[in-house]
Amino acid sequence: MIALVIDDEIQIRRLLRLALESRGYTVREAENGQLGLQEAAFHRPDVILLDLGLPDLDGLSVLRNLREWTDVPVLILSVQDQENVKVAALESGADDYVTKPFSTAELIARLAVIQRRRHSNDSPELVVGPLTMHLDRHEVELCGQPLKMTPTEFAFLRSLARHAGKIVTQSQILREVWGQQGDGQTHYLRVYANHLRNKLGDKLVIRNEPGIGYRLIEPA
Amino acid sequence: MIALVIDDEIQIRRLLRLALESRGYTVREAENGQLGLQEAAFHRPDVILLDLGLPDLDGLSVLRNLREWTDVPVLILSVQDQENVKVAALESGADDYVTKPFSTAELIARLAVIQRRRHSNDSPELVVGPLTMHLDRHEVELCGQPLKMTPTEFAFLRSLARHAGKIVTQSQILREVWGQQGDGQTHYLRVYANHLRNKLGDKLVIRNEPGIGYRLIEPA
DNA sequence: CATCCTGTTCATCCGTGGTTGAAAATCTTC
DNA sequence: GAAGATTTTCAACCACGGATGAACAGGATG
């Protein structure tokens, strides 16, 4: 399992190397975007940890470049208060992000989620823990029990479940559920997140990421 | 038993009409792909004889279009020994083919094979609780009593009965019963659901799933 | 304390579905 | 080919439930 760290700060790279190697990863490093892309192309890592603030290219450019030819999971490392950048990164195909400073435990946990998500392939049935969505028949089961759901609720939940464990941005959900004209109506999100939480009970958690979006996770 | 002949050569159509009518088929004709698709959607034939060389659309396009919404048996009429085209047709869902010139005896024989295969795969009787549908004869029984049914009603009920107990999507029913141009005409669904409910009484329930579709269930 | 974002509840409105009946199209039958 | 019967299509109506929009409460953050 190869991890590629793209970050200009050597302290961060050393920290990540220690954390990752202790978990069995082989770690490669790149100190700027240009080298990062080269490394990614040459060594084909299984996961990439990408800093958004890089000296040459900015992180977003690196991410978009990557996404032109690979689906490798990308975890963003960002400093706080760059919410718009985080949103842009997620919409450009990043899988998740952690905010510096971060605990290595959190980092490892998020990596695990990303990897697990990779392995699930898409079929007419979408399964997230105890939840099963039959996309063709618009039926939902929770712990084997059928769950009644309005069309809008279904679309909302599908939007989250498609990227289970991963953040889905507000505008992403709004576009998928309400189409073009839904853009900006963040109010709907709160109403329907509420509906779904009531229906899902404590079997599944819809967690809010303030200012960014929502994610569907299984309770620990 | 309705057969639809899609061929631009009038001689061929004449020949086929004679051969088929002598075997008890009702024959409909279309001289190009566009008309053929219309006929297929409107009259819902039990078998289609399709020429691969048509003036407007090529036969393969017609076939693929058909296969988007119906499983009606299709027999290909091909001119030469164009192996690659025949293979493509079979892979696109054709049931068999004959090469021009062909003997009517061979044609009839192949039709018989197709029909028999249909019936072995798809059993000629579809049973849901007290309801029995004789798919080959277009006859319906409810609690042993014969039930009169128009062609559209029959197709609608078959669409539901095939997936008894499961939700069948609105557009799924519309495509199966009315073909491509039925898409969006959800109005028809309400009218015919109403017809069927009246005929089925309380022996079987057609339940609506708001915004999604319908399902056929046995009352508890 | 002020502000922003979120969660929660509720009243209104509109879309969807059910129902009926009439017009239009199609198929029979002579 | 014309008259009648059957079937499909279409229009009009009502009823209900879900979508929408507003109001208010809670909580984090500075």
Side-chain angles (χ1 to χ4, degrees), chain A residues 94-160:
Chain A
D95 291 72
D96 201 351
Y97 70 83
V98 293
T99 305
K100 297 182 191 177
F102 49 83
S103 75
T104 57
E106 183 187 359
L107 182 83
I108 295 297
R110 304 224 165 183
L111 277 185
V113 169
I114 287 180
Q115 306 279 18
R116 205 169 334 122
R117 207 174 59 75
R118 273 300 128 176
H119 293 161
S120 62
N121 50 357
D122 53 344
S123 71
E125 299 197 347
L126 186 55
V127 179
V128 181
L131 176 80
T132 303
M133 302 187 73
H134 302 270
L135 300 182
D136 48 348
R137 277 177 277 133
H138 283 242
E139 286 176 318
V140 181
E141 286 173 26
L142 186 65
C143 304
Q145 299 298 314
L147 201 56
K148 210 149 162 98
M149 209 147 269
T150 74
T152 308
E153 287 165 357
F154 185 90
F156 192 110
L157 184 57
R158 178 180 54 197
S159 186
L160 293 180

Side-chain angles (χ1 to χ4, degrees), chain A residues 162-196:
Chain A
R162 274 222 186 94
H163 316 279
K166 179 182 161 183
I167 297 179
V168 188
T169 63
Q170 293 176 345
S171 68
Q172 220 171 317
I173 302 172
L174 286 167
R175 276 203 310 274
E176 283 184 26
V177 179
W178 283 271
Q180 204 67 43
Q181 73 273 23
D183 225 36
Q185 309 287 324
T186 59
H187 169 70
Y188 298 163
L189 298 179
R190 296 196 281 280
V191 172
Y192 279 93
N194 186 27
H195 288 175
L196 287 175

Side-chain angles (χ1 to χ4, degrees), chain B residues 150 152 178 187-188 191-192:
Chain B
T150 74
T152 306
W178 283 270
H187 174 75
Y188 298 163
V191 173
Y192 278 92

Side-chain angles (χ1 to χ4, degrees), chain A residues 35-136:
Chain A
L35 290 172
L37 288 172
Q38 278 179 32
E39 277 286 328
F42 194 63
H43 287 104
R44 298 301 176 102
D46 300 287
V47 61
I48 295 178
L49 295 86
L50 174 64
D51 184 13
L52 278 188
L54 290 171
D56 54 342
L57 300 169
D58 73 311
L60 275 181
S61 306
V62 175
L63 176 59
R64 294 197 181 110
N65 191 312
L66 283 171
R67 278 292 174 261
E68 287 173 13
W69 57 274
T70 178
D71 286 328
V72 60
V74 173
L75 184 69
I76 296 295
L77 312 173
S78 74
V79 297
Q80 222 159 15
D81 301 332
Q82 289 185 313
E83 299 220 329
N84 50 345
V85 180
K86 286 180 199 166
V87 171
L90 290 169
E91 287 182 341
S92 296
D95 291 72
D96 201 351
Y97 70 83
V98 293
T99 305
K100 297 182 191 177
F102 49 83
S103 75
T104 57
E106 183 187 359
L107 182 83
I108 295 297
R110 304 224 165 183
L111 277 185
V113 169
I114 287 180
Q115 306 279 18
R116 205 169 334 122
R117 207 174 59 75
R118 273 300 128 176
H119 293 161
S120 62
N121 50 357
D122 53 344
S123 71
E125 299 197 347
L126 186 55
V127 179
V128 181
L131 176 80
T132 303
M133 302 187 73
H134 302 270
L135 300 182
D136 48 348

Side-chain angles (χ1 to χ4, degrees), chain B residues 44 133 135 138 140 149-162 172-173 176-178 192 196:
Chain B
R44 294 178 294 278
M133 301 187 73
L135 299 181
H138 281 231
V140 182
M149 209 148 269
T150 74
T152 306
E153 287 166 358
F154 186 88
F156 193 113
L157 184 57
R158 178 179 53 196
S159 186
L160 294 181
R162 276 219 185 95
Q172 217 172 315
I173 302 172
E176 284 183 23
V177 179
W178 283 270
Y192 278 92
L196 288 175

